[in-house]
Amino acid sequence: MNKDFDVVIIGAGAAGLMCAAQAGYRGRRVLVIDHAKQAGKKILISGGGRCNFTNMDVEPNNYICSNPHFVKSALSRYTQWDFLGLIAKYNVAYHERDFGQLFCDDSAKEIVRILMSECDAANVTVRLRTDIKRIEKVDSGFVVETPSMNYQCESVVIATGGLSMPKLGATPFGYQVAEQFGLPVFPTKAGLVPVTLHQQDKDALSELSGVSLPVRIESNDGTTFAADMLFTHRGLSGPVVLQISNYWLPGEALSINLLPNLDVTASLDEQKQQHPNQSLKNTLATWLPKRFVEVLLEQQKLTDKPLKQLQHKEIAQIINMLEAWQIKPNGTEGYRTAEVTLGGVDTNTISSKTMMCKTVPNLYFVGEVLDVSGWLGGYNFQWAWASGWAAGQDC
């Protein structure tokens, strides 16, 4: 059995639903298909259930993409202020946290409610619990085959997301469609993800699980972030580690300033003058978790002695250790806990204005399936809104 639509969007997530509403408002007959039981599943669990839906300060340099200019058009045409206008239309209360991150006061359900309400107003049809068997290019457009029905349409939009959080139903379907139509796909890996440690470091630091402290962290390529780091029973997490994970490469060490908000040289000198008999261990324990200081001593990264006995060379070594603690992860926790997927459909094959494939007319890719990954802090949702909006104006 066949049914006709103007546009079939595959994926009922942030980008797909935004695209659907925009196309529907243009008078297009739109169908959204998703294999999940519920629309917007990733939205619902994001931000601890409150959804960090955008950021007050969005710039192209907040994104990783092999073609850094690609994100500029969509982000400039549908901005964070446009999405805040949509939030205001539905009277959703929100608040700002550190680094300009915006969250719902109440629940991420509010964001899904907005998107579904917009789709309803635009007469969009949403079919959940529906698998796609095949997408075929025909003279009039495409045929999208499902187990129960074939849908004929002019345009197809792939909004299937990446591989992160497989428990929510993530699949490589979008990449497979790209490859079917001859588009290059960059290798994918987990992004915005906790790192794991080698057994020796894991054993030494395991007692610190649950402890967090503010740090500045640097990867080998010179990228730096400052925020809280969390010790876990597997390794390291927290906002700063998730951020740097996008830039870390296997085999590399991370350099961590354990006291970014302290002038360590001046503070050590002051303590040495005022408390010459105080041990280095007790001095550092006023600035860092005591157990962490003990670990550094056990690993012989530091030598405990009264401050008055410290020579200039030893003080220089202590300062270097505290301001550039070297730790080499053995990997990441992978897609299971990753917030995004790095890599994806090569953006050089996609129009930055419309999100349409340059070689296959009326085939569009939006959101995370593309080789675009934002920093932690609402940037990936803003890319979903902007890329979905851009495709919705054209498809």
Side-chain angles (χ1 to χ4, degrees), residues 208 249 308 328 379:
L208 286 162
L249 296 174
K308 67 183 180 184
K328 187 180 282 189
Y379 300 102

Side-chain angles (χ1 to χ4, degrees), residues 8 31 42 66 73 109 119 128-129 164-165 185 210 223 234 252 254 303 335 339 344 348 355 386:
V8 172
L31 169 68
K42 198 169 177 184
S66 61
S73 175
K109 291 176 184 174
C119 284
L128 301 174
R129 304 185 195 216
S164 52
M165 300 185 186
V185 177
T223 302
R234 291 190 190 89
E252 293 180 352
L254 294 171
T303 303
Y335 293 120
E339 297 205 13
N348 289 305
M355 302 295 133

Side-chain angles (χ1 to χ4, degrees), residues 19-215:
C19 179
Q22 292 302 314
Y25 280 133
R26 288 173 45 233
R28 303 285 277 167
R29 294 168 301 150
V30 181
L31 169 68
V32 179
I33 301 175
D34 199 301
H35 64 144
K37 292 187 258 185
Q38 192 171 17
K41 284 180 80 174
K42 198 169 177 184
I43 298 171
L44 293 170
I45 66 144
S46 67
R50 292 203 169 166
C51 189
N52 179 192
F53 55 82
T54 192
N55 195 287
M56 292 291 282
D57 182 26
V58 178
E59 299 289 342
N61 64 6
N62 299 130
Y63 295 86
I64 299 170
C65 178
S66 61
N67 173 7
H69 299 291
F70 178 77
V71 300
K72 292 178 179 177
S73 175
L75 290 175
S76 66
R77 289 164 62 228
Y78 191 87
T79 69
Q80 65 272 41
W81 312 115
D82 293 311
F83 194 76
L84 284 171
L86 192 57
I87 290 279
K89 176 180 171 182
Y90 286 88
N91 297 312
V92 172
Y94 65 92
H95 59 278
E96 182 179 349
R97 297 188 193 170
D98 292 344
F99 310 110
Q101 301 169 86
L102 300 181
F103 289 78
C104 297
D105 281 359
D106 184 20
S107 167
K109 291 176 184 174
E110 300 272 38
I111 303 299
V112 177
R113 177 177 67 86
I114 289 173
L115 294 169
M116 295 306 287
S117 297
E118 287 289 289
C119 284
D120 285 346
N123 296 312
V124 171
T125 303
V126 178
R127 296 248 188 283
L128 301 174
R129 304 185 195 216
T130 302
D131 291 318
I132 308 291
K133 289 172 66 180
R134 194 160 70 102
I135 299 173
E136 183 185 357
K137 185 86 176 78
V138 295
D139 290 343
S140 58
F142 300 87
V143 174
V144 179
E145 294 184 17
T146 73
S148 59
M149 189 174 289
N150 294 343
Y151 298 100
Q152 189 120 7
C153 58
E154 289 176 21
S155 301
V156 166
V157 181
I158 305 299
T160 49
L163 299 174
S164 52
M165 300 185 186
K167 276 188 180 174
L168 298 183
T171 75
F173 181 83
Y175 309 131
Q176 291 163 357
V177 173
E179 288 167 346
Q180 174 191 335
F181 288 101
L183 306 185
V185 177
F186 286 113
T188 59
K189 67 174 186 174
L192 298 181
V193 63
V195 299
T196 55
L197 298 178
H198 292 280
Q199 195 64 45
Q200 184 180 350
D201 288 327
K202 192 162 71 169
D203 290 344
L205 296 168
S206 61
E207 287 179 46
L208 286 162
S209 182
V211 172
S212 79
L213 63 157
V215 303

Side-chain angles (χ1 to χ4, degrees), residues 61 64 216-226 240 243-248 252-256 375:
N61 64 6
I64 299 170
R216 181 177 291 110
I217 197 164
E218 183 175 352
S219 62
N220 267 22
D221 69 355
T223 302
T224 62
F225 292 99
V240 76
Q243 293 279 37
I244 209 71
S245 71
N246 282 0
Y247 299 86
W248 174 78
E252 293 180 352
L254 294 171
S255 179
I256 301 176
W375 290 1

Side-chain angles (χ1 to χ4, degrees), residues 3-14:
K3 190 159 185 182
D4 287 354
F5 283 89
D6 296 321
V7 185
V8 172
I9 297 170
I10 301 171

Side-chain angles (χ1 to χ4, degrees), residues 197 201 204-205 207-208 211-215 229 231 236 256-259 281 284-285 287-299 301-302 321-322 325-327:
L197 298 178
D201 288 327
L205 296 168
E207 287 179 46
L208 286 162
V211 172
S212 79
L213 63 157
V215 303
M229 177 177 77
F231 292 94
L236 302 174
I256 301 176
N257 185 338
L258 298 166
L259 295 165
K281 175 182 173 180
L284 297 184
W287 301 333
L288 292 166
K290 184 182 176 187
R291 176 61 194 138
F292 186 35
V293 176
E294 289 170 351
V295 167
L296 296 175
L297 290 166
E298 287 164 11
Q299 293 184 326
K301 306 274 175 138
L302 298 169
M321 219 292 309
L322 295 172
W325 179 49
Q326 300 291 305
I327 188 95

